Every structure is written in structure tokens, then in C-alpha cells.
Amino acid sequence: VAFDGLDFDPSLLPENFSDYLLYNITGEEELGTLEYLYVLPVIITIGVVGNAISLITIFLSRLRTVPANQYLIVMTTADTIFLLGVALIMFKIDYISFFSCVLVEYVLMCSSYISAWATAALTVERYIALVHPLLAVRLSAKSRVRWFACWVPIPLVLHLLQFHILVP
């Protein structure tokens, strides 16, 4: 079987999937296997459930159009996508082919980037609202959100170009 021009022999994989999780490509037992199999899924599950509860709470609130909640929606969504990307790594989807490895890494980089910048934007927005309330009223909150929405895609495109240049 060939993936993206790379030969892949399915007979090299262990017979059942749990053995595949326990062993890496060289067949050696990984350090921290119990933590990898039990703690990481718990962290992913609690994180995704917590983010889902946060999104439901924000969307059911009358204040969902407030800029602070819009930043929280972006952060929560990005964090959920990051956790799902970690789940893909946990199931070793990134070992299947070069394309899957690059795709998982791109998703992780972009989601962590968006989450970090949404946190920074929320911090600046709250600072302006608390320390300079008259300035916050004069500056349109929607224009700040639009400014954030316009600048975020630029590094995502640059990341895409960076990953496109990679070779197997």
C-alpha cells in the first residue's frame, strides 16, 4: 500500500489496535504507557466536555454578542480543536502518512495560535473597558472584533505555505 508516494506495509502493525497504542514504530515499549493510555484521554474528555458546556452557556446567554463573549467563543472553539488534534496524535493518526502528519501539525499550530491571540485580544479589550471606559465607548467594540478577525487569517495562510513547502 502506498500513501503519498511512501510505501506502507500493514503487516508491520500489531494485530490489535491496543497493542499499536502501546508500542511505537520501532516496536519498543514507550515510557509512560499508562499515563498515555489513561491520563491523556481523561484530559481530552474533560477539556472537550468543559468547552462544550462553556459554548452552550455563552450561546444561550443574552450577552453572546458582547465582544468579550465573542473572544471566549473563539478561544473555546480553538481549544476544542486543539484537544481533538491531540486525540489524533494519541491514536497515532499522524503516523499513517506524511500528509496526515502535516495536517495534524497544521491543525495544532493554527488552533494554538488562534487561542493565544484570542486570549491576548480579550485581555486588551478588557483592559480598555476597565481602565479607559470613555475610550472604550468611543471605540466601537465591533470594529475591534473585525480587526481581530482580519488579522488572524494572515499567519494561518503563512503556516499553510510553510507546510506546503515541506517534503517527505
Side-chain angles (χ1 to χ4, degrees):
V1 180
F3 292 106
D4 296 332
L6 301 174
D7 289 331
F8 176 74
D9 186 9
S11 65
L12 295 176
L13 293 176
E15 290 182 16
N16 66 29
F17 189 69
S18 63
D19 286 344
Y20 182 62
L21 287 175
L22 290 173
Y23 295 96
N24 63 15
I25 295 299
T26 62
E28 299 170 358
E29 189 168 347
E30 292 182 3
L31 297 175
T33 301
L34 290 177
E35 291 85 5
Y36 189 75
L37 286 177
Y38 298 112
V39 175
L40 192 58
V42 169
I43 291 171
I44 292 170
T45 304
I46 290 172
V48 169
V49 168
N51 287 340
I53 291 170
S54 297
L55 283 173
I56 290 169
T57 303
I58 292 171
F59 281 128
L60 294 179
S61 170
R62 291 176 296 159
L63 301 174
R64 68 181 161 268
T65 58
V66 173
N69 283 341
Q70 291 175 349
Y71 291 125
L72 289 174
I73 289 169
V74 170
M75 281 186 349
T76 307
T77 305
D79 290 342
T80 302
I81 291 171
F82 183 85
L83 287 170
L84 295 175
V86 171
L88 292 176
I89 288 177
M90 183 183 71
F91 290 118
K92 299 192 182 211
I93 301 299
D94 55 339
Y95 281 116
I96 292 176
S97 69
F98 175 75
F99 177 75
S100 65
C101 179
V102 169
L103 182 66
V104 168
E105 291 301 318
Y106 178 74
V107 166
L108 289 175
M109 282 183 65
C110 290
S111 61
S112 63
Y113 169 83
I114 290 172
S115 179
W117 277 105
T119 304
L122 176 65
T123 304
V124 169
E125 195 272 334
R126 290 289 81 204
Y127 173 79
I128 291 171
L130 293 174
V131 177
H132 304 291
L134 297 177
L135 178 65
V137 171
R138 207 171 54 205
L139 295 173
S140 170
K142 292 191 185 291
S143 69
R144 288 191 302 250
V145 172
R146 270 191 235 117
W147 179 84
F148 176 74
C150 289
W151 283 98
V152 166
I154 293 171
L156 301 181
V157 170
L158 293 176
H159 286 315
L160 189 61
L161 291 174
Q162 173 191 2
F163 281 107
H164 183 68
I165 294 171
L166 292 175
V167 293

